[in-house]
Amino acid sequence: MTQDCIFCRIKSGDIPSEMLFMDDLSFVIRDINPVAPIHLLIIPIEHVTDISTSSQDQFDLLSHLMMVAKRMVDRHKDLTDNGWRLVINQGRFSGQEIPHLHLHILGGQKLGPIA
Ligand code: 5GP
Ligand code: ZN
């Protein structure tokens, strides 16, 4: 938990947000500023800033987040029928706004090219 982190504050209930899914490692909310008709954020409860390859724990966490993403996709017929995109922004050049690891699920319309 980091007091100045928006996602940590959402998790603690300090900033209200509808929880679409929650388990012991992660939670899912709608993006406040969606760039597609379906725009969900899969967020680890732990305040992880960067993807690293150095720990088995993080490997397990990333696998878990991917599995949660697929579970959320399976709840939306439009996504399973027509496709979807998974995005992770990392660092300044990606445009990352919140330095707490998260996956974006995008869909609900034909998406433009990446980048
Ligand atoms: P990033 O650019 O870091 O990959 O994505 C951060 C995302 O968090 C952005 O798409 C932004 O719209 C979203 N976001 C920022 N603040 C809030 C908030 O308070 N609530 C929710 N639900 N999403 C937020
Ligand atoms: Zn955080």
Side-chain angles (χ1 to χ4, degrees):
M1 166 81 187
T2 301
Q3 201 45 252
D4 58 2
C5 170
I6 288 173
F7 291 160
C8 285
R9 292 180 65 200
I10 288 174
K11 168 62 188 63
S12 71
D14 199 18
I15 297 174
S17 188
E18 184 191 353
M19 294 286 165
L20 303 179
F21 173 87
M22 183 176 283
D23 64 15
D24 52 343
L25 293 176
S26 63
F27 60 99
V28 179
I29 57 176
R30 284 191 192 88
D31 198 292
I32 204 170
N33 188 18
V35 298
I38 301 170
H39 186 169
L40 308 180
L41 301 173
I42 293 95
I43 306 170
I45 288 172
E46 188 188 348
H47 182 85
V48 175
T49 52
D50 293 305
I51 296 177
S52 84
T53 54
S54 58
S55 91
Q56 181 66 35
D57 281 358
Q58 209 192 83
F59 182 87
D60 293 344
L61 177 63
L62 280 164
S63 307
H64 183 81
L65 297 175
M66 290 285 292
M67 192 223 28
V68 171
K70 181 61 169 73
R71 268 177 86 157
M72 300 311 296
V73 164
D74 290 345
R75 288 187 185 181
H76 292 82
K77 186 168 167 16
D78 186 279
L79 298 182
T80 52
D81 283 356
N82 299 313
W84 48 287
R85 180 176 291 162
L86 197 58
V87 172
I88 299 177
N89 289 321
Q90 278 280 268
R92 197 161 55 94
F93 274 14
S94 74
Q96 184 181 8
E97 190 186 310
I98 300 185
H100 175 142
L101 177 66
H102 53 283
L103 280 55
H104 298 251
I105 294 176
L106 301 168
Q109 70 181 21
K110 186 159 172 47
L111 302 169
I114 297 172

